[in-house]
C-alpha cells in the first residue's frame, strides 16, 4: 500500500530501465526510449575514493591520469566489484535522466538488467546499490530475458526462440518457449576477454604493450570471427617491452582474428552446448526462427556468420544490438503489472549452469 509521500513522489518521478553493463551503462525512460548511453567508468581520487568524473568524461581519462587519480570500472564480469563507486555511478545516471526529462525529484521506479549466472549475494549487491542511489522501488531482470523482450522475440509463444547476448563482461545464451526459459547459459567470456586476448597477442608476438583502449579500437575496426571479403590492416602504437621505447606496429585483420580465436571459440561452443541440450521440437523451431544475436560484442565482424556456420541454424543481428537489454527493461516498465508476473515465471523456470 503506497503512502501519501510515495504517491506524491510517483507523480514527479520517472520509471527507468537500466542496463548496468561492465563496459557501458544504458538508461531507458518509460515511453521515451534510451536517454543515456555512457561508458561504465568512474575517475576517483586515490586517497579519499571520491568520484571526480563519471561516464564518458571518466573514459577519456583512462591511462592519462596523474598519480593521485585513478580511472576504474566498478563492475567486473557483469557484477559489482566496487559497491560505493557503483552506487555513485547509478545515482549520477538516475539524476542525469531526471534532469534530461525536466523532472525535479529523482525517486524513480527502476528495473535493472543483471547477468543470469550471478549469485544471490551479487543480486543483493545490485539491488542495494540501486536503492541507495535513490530508487523508490527496484526490480532485477536477467539480461537474456530483457534482451529477448528488447529484440522483440516471441517468448510467450509456443514455438521456441533463442538469444545470444554478448556484453562486455558476460555472454548470455537462452532458449525460450511458452513464457519460460528452457535452457540458459552464462559465461564470463565476452568483449573484455577479447580485448585482453589482443593485448596478450601483441605482447607475445611483437613485445608490444598496448592499452585497453587501443585493443578495443583494433577489435572494432579490423577484428573478426570469420574471414573477411577484404582483409584489412591497422597500425597499433604502444611501448616496446625490450627497449622501453615507443613503437608502432602494423597488424592485419588475419592476425587479430587469430588473437580473438580463443574467446570466439568459447562463445560458439557455449551456443552449441545450449543447442545440444535443447529438446528436438524446439531445435526444429529454431531452424525456422533462427538465433538472435544481441549485445555490443555480437557486432564483431563475421560473428553472426560464424555462429550460423557452426550451428547449421540461421543467425541474425538484432536491431540496435547494444540497446536490447535497456529497451527490454523499458518495455517491462511500460507493461509493468503483466510483465512482472511473466518475469517471476521466467526466473522460476530458468535452468542455470
Amino acid at each position: 500500500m503506497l503512502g501519501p509521500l510515495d504517491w506524491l513522489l510517483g507523480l514527479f518521478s520517472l520509471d527507468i530501465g537500466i542496463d548496468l553493463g561492465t563496459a557501458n551503462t544504458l538508461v531507458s525512460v518509460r515511453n521515451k526510449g534510451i536517454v543515456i548511453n555512457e561508458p561504465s567508468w568512474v575517475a576517483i581520487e586515490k586517497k579519499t575514493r571520491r568520484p571526480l568524473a563519471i561516464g564518458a568524461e571518466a573514459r577519456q581519462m583512462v591511462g592519462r591520469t596523474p598519480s593521485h587519480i585513478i580511472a576504474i570500472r566498478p563492475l567486473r564480469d557483469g557484477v559489482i566489484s566496487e559497491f560505493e563507486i557503483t552506487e555513485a555511478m547509478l545515482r549520477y545516471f538516475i539524476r542525469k535522466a531526471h534532469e534530461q526529462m525536466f523532472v525535479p525529484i529523482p525517486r524513480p521506479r527502476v528495473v535493472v538488467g543483471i547477468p543470469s549466472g550471478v549469485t544471490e549475494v551479487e543480486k543483493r549487491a545490485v539491488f542495494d546499490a540501486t536503492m541507495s542511489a535513490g530508487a523508490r522501488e527496484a526490480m532485477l531482470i536477467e539480461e537474456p530475458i530483457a534482451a529477448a523482450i528488447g529484440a522483440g522475440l516471441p517468448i510467450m509463444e509456443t514455438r521456441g526462440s533463442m538469444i545470444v547476448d554478448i556484453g562486455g563482461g558476460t555472454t548470455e545464451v537462452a532458449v525460450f518457449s511458452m513464457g519460460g526459459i528452457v535452457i540458459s547459459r552464462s559465461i564470463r567470456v565476452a568483449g573484455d576477454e577479447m580485448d585482453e586476448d589482443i593485448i596478450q597477442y601483441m605482447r607475445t608476438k611483437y613485445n608490444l604493450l598496448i592499452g585497453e583502449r587501443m585493443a578495443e579500437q583494433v577489435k572494432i575496426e579490423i577484428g573478426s570471427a570469420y574471414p573477411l571479403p577484404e582483409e584489412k590492416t591497422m597500425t597499433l602504437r604502444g611501448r616496446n617491452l625490450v627497449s622501453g621505447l615507443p613503437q608502432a606496429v602494423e597488424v592485419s585483420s588475419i592476425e587479430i582474428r587469430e588473437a580473438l580465436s580463443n574467446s570466439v571459440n568459447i562463445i560458439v561452443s557455449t551456443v552449441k552446448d545450449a543447442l545440444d541440450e535443447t529438446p528436438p521440437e524446439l531445435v526444429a523451431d529454431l531452424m525456422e526462427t533462427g538465433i538472435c544475436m544481441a549485445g555490443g560484442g555480437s557486432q564483431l565482424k563475421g560473428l553472426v556468420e560464424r555462429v550460423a556456420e557452426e550451428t547449421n541454424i540461421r543467425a541474425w543481428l538484432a536491431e540496435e544490438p547494444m540497446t536490447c537489454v535497456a529497451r527490454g527493461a523499458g518495455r517491462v516498465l511500460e507493461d509493468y503489472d503483466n510483465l512482472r508476473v511473466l518475469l517471476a515465471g521466467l526466473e522460476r523456470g530458468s535452468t542455470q549452469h
Side-chain angles (χ1 to χ4, degrees):
M1 189 77 179
L2 291 177
L5 181 59
D6 291 319
W7 180 82
L8 188 61
L9 289 173
L11 286 179
F12 290 102
S13 285
L14 302 174
D15 286 345
I16 293 177
I18 299 178
D19 174 9
L20 190 60
T22 307
N24 294 282
T25 296
L26 290 88
V27 178
S28 169
V29 172
R30 183 167 59 117
N31 300 326
K32 295 290 182 183
I34 307 293
V35 296
I36 294 172
N37 181 356
E38 291 199 33
S40 302
W41 283 91
V42 182
I44 60 171
E45 207 168 32
K46 223 174 195 177
K47 281 186 180 177
T48 63
R49 299 187 70 78
R50 180 172 61 91
L52 301 174
I54 296 172
E57 189 182 347
R59 178 81 166 86
Q60 293 295 321
M61 299 181 181
V62 177
R64 297 177 172 138
T65 56
S67 58
H68 68 284
I69 296 172
I70 52 171
I72 63 169
R73 288 201 292 190
L75 293 104
R76 280 284 164 193
D77 298 328
V79 296
I80 293 174
S81 57
E82 299 278 355
F83 182 85
E84 289 177 0
I85 297 167
T86 302
E87 182 191 318
M89 185 175 77
L90 276 168
R91 184 179 287 112
Y92 168 80
F93 287 132
I94 289 171
R95 191 169 291 276
K96 188 171 180 180
H98 275 76
E99 286 171 357
Q100 287 187 14
M101 296 293 109
F102 306 105
V103 178
I105 309 171
R107 291 283 291 165
R109 180 166 56 182
V110 180
V111 174
V112 185
I114 56 167
S116 61
V118 300
T119 64
E120 287 302 317
V121 173
E122 290 165 340
K123 281 184 182 178
R124 188 74 205 178
V126 176
F127 180 85
D128 289 346
T130 307
M131 294 301 288
S132 300
R136 78 177 190 274
E137 188 181 340
M139 177 183 172
L140 306 183
I141 177 173
E142 292 182 358
E143 283 176 1
I145 300 170
I149 294 170
L153 293 187
I155 60 176
M156 294 301 293
E157 294 183 11
T158 311
R159 60 185 174 138
S161 52
M162 184 175 189
I163 193 149
V164 179
D165 177 24
I166 307 170
T170 59
T171 294
E172 313 279 337
V173 180
V175 178
F176 302 91
S177 177
M178 296 173 63
I181 295 179
V182 181
I183 295 292
S184 175
R185 290 282 186 282
S186 179
I187 57 168
R188 296 186 178 186
V189 175
D192 288 350
E193 199 74 21
M194 293 180 192
D195 296 344
E196 190 58 37
D197 285 346
I198 293 171
I199 291 170
Q200 290 303 322
Y201 182 87
M202 296 304 295
R203 182 195 286 265
T204 305
K205 186 168 182 178
Y206 293 105
N207 285 319
L208 185 73
L209 181 64
I210 62 170
E212 287 180 22
R213 292 187 66 181
M214 181 63 74
E216 186 181 23
Q217 190 180 341
V218 71
K219 176 185 72 179
I220 292 168
E221 292 194 17
I222 67 169
S224 64
Y226 199 77
L228 299 173
E230 186 181 335
E231 302 294 351
K232 303 174 183 179
T233 61
M234 182 176 168
T235 301
L236 299 190
R237 297 176 180 84
R239 187 175 78 241
N240 186 290
L241 290 166
V242 178
S243 67
L245 298 173
Q247 184 183 0
V249 173
E250 188 174 59
V251 295
S252 70
S253 53
I254 298 169
E255 290 176 291
I256 300 302
R257 186 159 60 249
E258 183 187 337
L260 294 170
S261 62
N262 185 49
S263 290
V264 170
N265 288 341
I266 291 170
I267 291 168
V268 171
S269 294
T270 303
V271 176
K272 289 166 77 174
D273 287 347
L275 285 169
D276 190 42
E277 292 196 19
T278 302
E281 290 293 341
L282 291 181
V283 171
D285 291 341
L286 295 178
M287 291 182 77
E288 289 183 27
T289 58
I291 299 170
C292 177
M293 306 283 289
S298 64
Q299 296 177 104
L300 180 72
K301 294 179 184 69
L303 185 56
V304 172
E305 291 84 350
R306 174 77 182 275
V307 168
E309 184 183 86
E310 295 265 358
T311 60
N312 288 331
I313 294 176
R314 177 180 67 92
W316 51 282
L317 196 61
E319 186 182 344
E320 297 181 32
M322 267 193 77
T323 67
C324 281
V325 173
R327 282 188 287 131
R331 284 184 191 168
V332 168
L333 288 163
E334 286 171 21
D335 195 9
Y336 188 73
D337 294 328
N338 290 331
L339 284 173
R340 184 164 55 175
V341 174
L342 160 67
L343 297 174
L346 283 169
E347 286 173 0
R348 281 197 298 273
S350 64
T351 307
Q352 303 303 341
H353 294 265

